Amino acid sequence: MSGGVRHLYVHLPFCAHRCGYCDFVTVVGRQGSHEQYVDALLRELALERELLTDPLETVYLGGGTPTFTDPVALERLLVSLPRAEEVTIEANPETVTPALAQLLSRNGVNRVSMGAQSFAPRLLSVLERRATPDDVRRAVHTLRDANVDNISLDLIYGIPGQSPSDLRRDLDEALALGPEHLSCYELEAKPGTRFAHTFGDELVRQSEALEGYIEDVVETLTAAGYRWYETANFCRQPQLDGGRDLRSRHNLAYWLGRDYLGLGIGAVSTVGSTRWRNAPRLAAYLEALGGGRRPSRETEPLEDEVKHRERVMLGLRLDEPLSLAGLEGAVDATALERMEALGLATRDGGERLTLTHRGRFLGGGVTAELLA
Amino acid sequence: MDQGKIRNFSIIAHIDHGKSTLADRILELTDTVSGREMRDQLLDSMELERERGITIKAQAVRVMWKGYELNLIDTPGHVDFTYEVSRSLAACEGALLVVDASQGIEAQTLANAFLAIENNLEIVPAVNKIDLPQALPDEVAAEVSELVGETPERVLRISAKTGAGVGEVLDAIIERIPAPEGDSVAPPRALIFDSSYDQYRGVVAFIRVVDGSFRRGETLKAMAQGTQFEAEELGFFTPTMTASDTLGAGEVGYVITGLKDVSRLRVGDTVTSVRRPAVKPLPGYKDVKPMVFAGLFPTDSDEYPELRDALERLKLNDAALFYEPETSQALGFGFRCGFLGLLHMEIVRERLEREFDLDLLVTAPNVAYRVTQPTGEQIEVHNPADMPREAELVEEPYVKASVIVPKDYVGDVMGLCNERRGRFDHMEYLSEARVLLAYELPLGEIVLDFYDQLKSRTRGYASFDYDVIGFREGTLSRVDILVAGEQVDALSLIVHRDAAYERGRQLVERLREEIPRQMFDVPIQAAIGSRVIARETVKAKRKDVLAKCYGGDISRKRKLLEKQKKGKKRMKQVGGVEVPQEAFLAVLNLERK
């Protein structure tokens, strides 16, 4: 018996240090517990194994800095995880050595998502990133040498002190490396982060000036042959890459409302009408699984109506039309007409909803309007 | 009590000239309240009064002095409350006029003193705060004696703070103020000069018995309204409520009526007994008409019934308060309320918010306009949005304003009055240093910010009072505000034609700052009729995205959107634009400034 879940997320929280803007579940130090953590992950996997149905479509190792994990432990984990068509790992450039690249490659990792963030040393230091622009370039070449043919780079824009020409330069530098995929995020001062404390006011001050940055990003990348397939994500057009669909299959699963299983501290799973999140405490996680028990979890029931709203919220992030069949209750019909009248959304045949180019730049507000 | 041994009096004083302190000293000196019970300014029972240093509600306290029963009837001290003052004065035979020895007479004191003189009250003048180093008792006594037509020697010199001369004040009250002269055996008549509402005991009426006497348990009748009720309890204030079997001619006290419907007993009515009814009611109060109007809307539209109940309650204690339901497209259901003046409005609003825990949106105040339609029909307009676009004639209320000011500021005051379309009437030197300026001004120019301006241009030295003198034709324009092409009824205003451009510009500029950017351009216009006189645009937002959303973020992002959606529901929709209430508030505040 199996639960039909074909997407697996594994959280590897360890980092060499915590960047100022980060609000993910991360663990700095505790190098000694990598092996023990991998043991715990595998125990949790065993406990939930029957939810998964082989063959898996995607496995995604996120962090933290997954590639900072002790190589022996990391390899043991990779060997033990179920096979999947797309296996992605997040990496920080400074961790990518030829040995690591080989390790990933021989263990089925076929996609690497790397946090470049910026190519300006000055801006990298604002973000407290340790990798230099040269580290990023070297890492890409190292991965290519190990035959990794699907590389994604993360960029952050709206960094305090970043001018429009700085942004342009970052995009050019990233494009020069020929990544298959790019994720571009506006810097957010997440409440409670060190960064918000230091730069929060500055970000508010520059918010209006930054309004055009996302347009610059989209314009530059689409002109360079990338498809703006999700609010913050771009991939090379298939015709430029032998017909390959280079969208992140794992992330698409989230945006299309598929079920997924998450392992590790702070990891979220959504299976059927339940969502749960593992408690983010490392010690408690290790202890529970050390004793063969499930870690403590926060559970959220997902009624159909809620799932429908999420489908709308996530579906509208994509460039492909959202089919409204079955989702009628989640969409405010009057608001929809208003959005159409404003040229922010279109419907073909009445059933399939797409945001217009301008509508996508206003996607957050349009979605808030459209949700019933 | 034999009427010959009764004295009923009020204290007339400007704010801060020491009325409450004097009342406290009187209570102490007559052993009405022991020192331990004493707290400062005992008479000002309402929280609000204490904070503002003014007294809104009249209240009566009975004290005994040398075998005489003295009833001190408290009066409000501010310009808007001429009406309440006249109510209180109608219950007295005399008034103690208290003037600060360091400040001299102020415009409001003057107005109330004249009111007392008009009511044939005996005035006992006293110069207070003679203990202050900057006191000028002789100069001020000369000013006062001039005003009331007494010799300066008859003006008492006291310090309410130290208690000096307070005994002499009480003696003077007995000597100079006449005893009540009602017919103690005639059918009973009493004037309701104030009332309050108690949750458990119903309406409590404060009365001054003129003729006959009232007994506990008797069935009584309010003559004008016809309401009958039982005198569940009679008594007087010492200053706590002290029950008594009877209240006789000349006495002041309270009646607990048990009435639960506050509208059934009105201040100003005459109470008599059903068993032995009087034929004629006592002369009523001057019928005061509200002159200043504003819309009051609950911030939360669910609170409309609470607002209605609260206004009904306030109305019991405040006959001058007027209200009628108003529906605004922008602000929903509320009430158009009429007030005596701006302070009255502020007090009503604060009492609604504080005592009734309501959150209110108050529109910019305007005056009552008298409009003659092309058909010849005459209507009164209380709301700028109701002003007909084609009127034959629009008249606005004018006041006679008196400003008393040190002579160095005469130029500043004249400048202000001229800016406000004032017409100079006359100027008088009250003393070497102080000048009274009399102007005729449109009330509409005063309700905005005249008083604040006056205070700031004279460094707080000016005092000010006004009397409505009638309606006059005005060259007035109705300015409408349009958001995204749709008129915002709550923001319409009526201004003099010369000021229309400036006010229109200020309003649209402020609105542009306050209305959040939308997903489309929002034009904001000020217009007279179909002519646009000012225009601004809130530029459309270019970007509004949730940066990232992956498996772990979905619940949080969804909740964020749901919260955003809820927030939108609380906003008021105008022309398809969500306008937060703060925007209305900011604009309405601007108008008040």
Side-chain angles (χ1 to χ4, degrees):
Chain A
M1 124 123 220
S2 70
V5 178
R6 291 181 185 272
H7 303 279
L8 176 65
Y9 175 82
V10 180
H11 192 71
L12 290 163
F14 304 104
C15 281
H17 98 117
R18 187 173 170 93
C19 305
Y21 62 93
C22 176
D23 75 333
F24 289 105
V25 174
T26 59
V27 174
V28 174
R30 310 280 313 254
Q31 257 86 332
S33 48
H34 292 196
E35 286 285 356
Q36 209 189 338
Y37 183 73
V38 167
D39 287 340
L41 282 175
L42 295 175
R43 287 229 175 87
E44 193 187 10
L45 173 64
L47 289 171
E48 312 302 349
R49 189 65 176 85
E50 64 185 22
L51 292 172
L52 297 172
T53 296
D54 290 310
L56 292 192
E57 290 185 34
T58 68
V59 170
Y60 193 104
L61 294 99
T65 313
T67 50
F68 176 70
T69 311
D70 170 69
V72 176
L74 180 61
E75 183 148 30
R76 195 156 61 84
L77 174 68
L78 288 170
V79 166
S80 312
L81 287 177
R83 301 292 97 193
E85 291 165 39
E86 179 194 278
V87 179
T88 305
I89 192 166
E90 290 177 349
N92 266 5
E94 69 273 27
T95 61
V96 178
T97 58
L100 178 92
Q102 289 302 330
L103 185 158
L104 298 177
S105 194
R106 71 173 173 264
N107 286 292
V109 174
N110 52 20
R111 189 171 179 274
V112 176
S113 170
M114 198 155 52
Q117 319 308 10
S118 172
F119 290 85
R122 172 172 56 89
L123 301 176
L124 286 168
S125 87
V126 170
L127 296 175
E128 301 180 20
R129 297 290 291 183
R130 291 196 166 168
T132 64
D134 280 340
D135 287 335
V136 179
R137 296 183 193 104
R138 196 178 309 122
V140 171
H141 295 136
T142 304
L143 291 167
R144 294 291 188 213
D145 289 345
N147 296 319
V148 178
D149 65 354
N150 193 349
I151 296 177
S152 177
L153 293 180
D154 283 0
L155 289 179
I156 289 180
Y157 62 89
I159 306 163
Q162 184 183 33
S163 68
S165 57
D166 288 333
L167 172 62
R168 183 67 212 222
R169 206 167 305 129
D170 277 350
L171 291 168
D172 288 346
E173 293 274 11
L175 288 171
L177 295 172
E180 280 70 26
H181 187 280
L182 280 157
S183 299
C184 300
Y185 307 112
E186 182 175 358
L187 181 59
E188 290 176 278
K190 301 263 179 61
T193 57
R194 212 159 59 228
F195 186 80
H197 184 72
T198 319
F199 292 106
D201 294 344
E202 170 75 18
L203 286 185
V204 170
R205 261 199 304 281
Q206 65 174 11
S207 66
E208 206 147 316
L210 288 179
E211 253 199 323
Y213 280 33
I214 186 173
E215 292 170 27
D216 292 347
V217 168
V218 170
E219 211 171 287
T220 308
L221 296 184
T222 49
Y226 285 78
R227 169 180 173 188
W228 182 26
Y229 76 97
E230 195 266 353
T231 306
N233 286 282
F234 303 80
C235 65
R236 275 168 71 181
Q237 295 283 10
Q239 63 271 24
L240 299 175
D241 216 290
R244 278 203 297 168
D245 183 353
L246 289 167
R247 294 179 293 175
S248 162
R249 283 181 69 182
H250 185 81
N251 290 333
L252 268 178
Y254 298 137
W255 299 322
L256 294 172
R258 303 255 180 85
D259 285 352
Y260 52 93
L261 176 66
L263 304 176
I265 60 171
V268 175
S269 305
T270 304
V271 180
S273 56
T274 313
R275 176 171 295 151
W276 67 87
R277 179 178 194 254
N278 287 345
R281 308 284 308 180
L282 178 66
Y285 181 82
L286 296 178
E287 197 199 318
L289 285 154
R293 296 180 311 275
R294 289 191 164 93
S296 87
R297 289 169 173 174
E298 213 176 278
T299 304
E300 181 190 2
L302 294 176
E303 288 160 24
D304 280 355
E305 172 233 345
V306 172
K307 292 197 82 160
H308 292 170
R309 277 212 296 277
E310 290 186 350
R311 283 287 294 119
V312 174
M313 169 182 96
L314 297 164
L316 291 176
R317 297 180 68 87
L318 299 174
D319 62 346
E320 288 184 331
L322 169 70
S323 168
L324 291 176
L327 300 177
E328 291 84 358
V331 176
D332 177 338
T334 355
L336 177 51
E337 276 172 34
R338 204 164 59 237
M339 294 303 108
E340 286 184 289
L342 288 170
L344 299 172
T346 55
R347 260 184 300 181
D348 56 56
E351 278 293 283
R352 286 150 42 98
L353 174 64
T354 317
L355 298 191
T356 61
H357 193 66
R358 204 166 83 77
R360 294 185 75 192
F361 290 122
L362 297 169
V366 174
T367 306
E369 286 285 328
L370 287 176
L371 283 180
Chain B
M1 174 69 72
D2 167 15
Q3 281 192 78
K5 293 259 179 184
I6 297 175
R7 297 292 182 271
N8 296 319
F9 71 103
S10 296
I11 303 177
I12 294 173
H14 187 67
I15 300 165
D16 292 338
H17 280 202
K19 180 172 72 172
S20 297
T21 314
L22 178 57
D24 290 350
R25 282 303 93 75
I26 290 174
L27 294 181
E28 268 180 346
L29 192 65
T30 55
D31 292 326
T32 310
V33 183
S34 73
R36 199 171 50 80
E37 289 172 307
M38 195 66 210
R39 59 191 172 97
D40 280 346
Q41 306 191 349
L42 197 60
L43 284 178
D44 295 351
S45 62
M46 286 197 296
E47 193 191 348
L48 189 62
E49 294 174 18
R50 194 166 288 281
E51 279 181 24
R52 288 176 163 261
I54 54 173
T55 306
I56 308 152
K57 295 297 306 125
Q59 227 179 325
V61 182
R62 177 183 293 189
V63 302
M64 300 304 291
W65 182 249
K66 298 183 177 169
Y68 284 79
E69 171 188 317
L70 311 185
N71 292 299
L72 163 55
I73 297 166
D74 204 8
T75 58
H78 193 274
V79 50
D80 284 347
F81 296 93
T82 310
Y83 170 74
E84 291 206 14
V85 173
S86 73
R87 247 164 41 185
S88 305
L89 294 182
C92 308
E93 281 77 28
L96 197 56
L97 174 65
V98 178
V99 179
D100 188 317
S102 66
Q103 307 279 325
I105 297 173
E106 309 268 5
Q108 292 145 31
T109 324
L110 208 61
N112 287 339
F114 284 139
L115 204 60
I117 293 166
E118 264 173 48
N119 278 279
N120 294 318
L121 262 56
E122 180 64 34
I123 307 286
V124 178
V127 173
N128 190 23
K129 304 197 190 180
I130 51 167
D131 56 309
L132 289 183
Q134 70 272 32
L136 300 167
D138 293 336
E139 284 84 341
V140 174
E143 240 182 64
V144 173
S145 65
E146 180 100 355
L147 169 71
V148 299
E150 290 267 16
T151 56
E153 295 71 49
R154 295 260 290 175
V155 178
L156 303 169
R157 318 290 172 95
I158 67 169
S159 166
K161 194 167 140 215
T162 65
V166 176
E168 286 77 0
V169 167
L170 293 173
D171 291 342
I173 286 168
I174 291 169
E175 281 160 27
R176 302 192 206 169
I177 293 178
E181 290 176 333
D183 183 345
S184 58
V185 294
R189 291 197 297 175
L191 186 68
I192 306 174
F193 65 87
D194 205 347
S195 67
S196 79
Y197 186 85
D198 181 274
Q199 202 184 336
Y200 302 104
R201 314 202 64 178
V203 177
V204 180
F206 303 134
I207 57 168
R208 157 69 198 271
V209 183
V210 176
D211 295 327
S213 66
F214 291 88
R215 304 194 70 80
R216 186 181 54 191
E218 240 182 328
T219 305
L220 306 181
K221 188 169 99 176
M223 295 181 77
Q225 275 195 293
T227 304
Q228 294 198 7
F229 56 92
E230 192 190 325
E232 288 181 5
E233 182 182 314
L234 294 171
F236 48 88
F237 295 91
T238 62
T240 49
M241 287 171 110
T242 307
S244 151
D245 285 338
T246 60
L247 278 178
E251 290 192 307
V252 174
Y254 66 86
V255 188
I256 293 175
T257 66
L259 290 170
K260 295 294 182 193
D261 179 359
V262 297
S263 65
R264 296 188 61 205
L265 204 62
R266 287 281 157 80
V267 168
D269 209 341
T270 299
V271 180
T272 187
S273 85
V274 168
R275 194 179 51 81
R276 200 172 161 231
V279 182
K280 256 183 71 177
L282 295 162
Y285 287 103
K286 194 159 65 168
D287 185 25
V288 285
K289 292 191 73 177
M291 280 294 162
V292 175
F293 291 83
L296 267 59
F297 295 87
T299 328
D300 175 357
S301 53
D302 292 345
E303 284 189 344
Y304 176 79
E306 282 89 336
L307 175 58
R308 189 192 49 220
D309 293 349
L311 283 168
E312 199 171 289
R313 288 278 174 83
L314 286 189
K315 173 89 180 154
L316 171 79
N317 292 323
D318 189 348
L321 174 64
F322 161 92
Y323 63 95
E324 64 190 4
E326 177 181 358
T327 311
S328 155
Q329 222 176 319
L331 304 179
F333 292 104
F335 292 92
R336 177 114 310 231
C337 299
F339 309 95
L340 298 171
L342 274 185
L343 185 85
H344 186 205
M345 178 174 104
E346 267 315 302
I347 284 168
V348 168
R349 174 218 184 122
E350 282 204 40
R351 290 189 66 187
L352 288 170
E353 294 191 330
R354 210 181 286 209
E355 293 170 31
F356 298 92
D357 201 22
L358 294 164
D359 257 333
L360 295 177
L361 248 163
V362 184
T363 66
N366 58 269
V367 298
Y369 296 96
R370 198 180 278 167
V371 179
T372 309
Q373 308 261 48
T375 56
E377 189 199 353
Q378 231 187 34
I379 56 167
E380 201 172 274
V381 172
H382 296 159
N383 185 345
D386 295 338
M387 178 65 84
R389 290 215 164 79
E390 290 132 42
E392 276 298 294
L393 176 70
V394 179
E395 293 168 291
E396 58 179 329
Y398 267 69
V399 300
K400 181 158 182 178
S402 313
V403 179
I404 297 180
V405 74
K407 67 174 190 299
D408 293 346
Y409 294 105
V410 165
D412 301 284
V413 174
M414 289 182 130
L416 176 65
C417 291
N418 290 337
E419 284 165 32
R420 300 306 169 95
R421 298 191 278 140
R423 201 184 65 77
F424 176 76
D425 188 84
H426 70 274
M427 179 164 96
E428 250 173 72
Y429 273 81
L430 296 181
S431 66
E432 188 101 332
R434 293 180 2 117
V435 176
L436 181 150
L437 278 163
Y439 266 84
E440 289 178 2
L441 282 154
L443 179 61
E445 296 286 345
I446 289 173
V447 300
L448 281 174
D449 63 346
F450 184 84
Y451 194 62
D452 292 342
Q453 282 292 323
L454 185 67
K455 283 285 172 195
S456 77
R457 293 195 197 186
T458 62
R459 296 160 154 236
Y461 279 117
S463 71
F464 166 65
D465 192 41
Y466 66 82
D467 246 337
V468 175
I469 50 175
F471 281 78
R472 287 181 197 170
E473 183 174 359
T475 321
L476 302 168
S477 296
R478 165 178 163 177
V479 177
D480 292 323
I481 301 296
L482 294 88
V483 172
E486 197 171 299
Q487 186 195 322
V488 187
D489 49 11
L491 298 182
S492 291
L493 66 156
I494 293 169
V495 286
H496 188 255
R497 204 164 52 196
D498 296 345
Y501 286 87
E502 180 59 19
R503 309 262 325 137
R505 195 183 52 74
Q506 282 174 352
L507 274 173
V508 298
E509 268 175 20
R510 190 61 199 263
L511 267 177
R512 178 179 51 75
E513 288 162 17
E514 292 293 333
I515 293 182
R517 296 166 66 202
Q518 314 275 318
M519 292 186 281
F520 46 91
D521 282 353
V522 179
I524 300 166
Q525 298 158 298
I528 298 175
S530 57
R531 190 160 47 92
V532 174
I533 57 170
R535 185 195 159 103
E536 293 278 343
T537 304
V538 178
K539 296 298 286 176
K541 255 193 280 200
R542 284 166 68 189
K543 184 213 73 174
D544 178 6
V545 293
L546 295 173
K548 54 172 92 171
C549 191
Y550 298 111
D553 312 315
I554 297 173
S555 288
R556 196 154 42 95
K557 301 281 176 179
R558 187 192 73 237
K559 285 173 189 158
L560 199 75
L561 278 174
E562 285 168 348
K563 207 169 135 200
Q564 211 175 326
K565 184 87 188 172
K566 240 187 226 155
K568 280 173 188 294
K569 283 190 178 140
R570 273 201 309 274
M571 294 198 194
K572 312 278 184 182
Q573 283 270 352
V574 181
V577 178
E578 283 117 13
V579 182
Q581 289 194 326
E582 294 74 43
F584 286 111
L585 273 178
V587 173
L588 297 172
N589 278 333
L590 168 79
E591 297 216 4
R592 209 168 295 132
K593 290 259 152 55

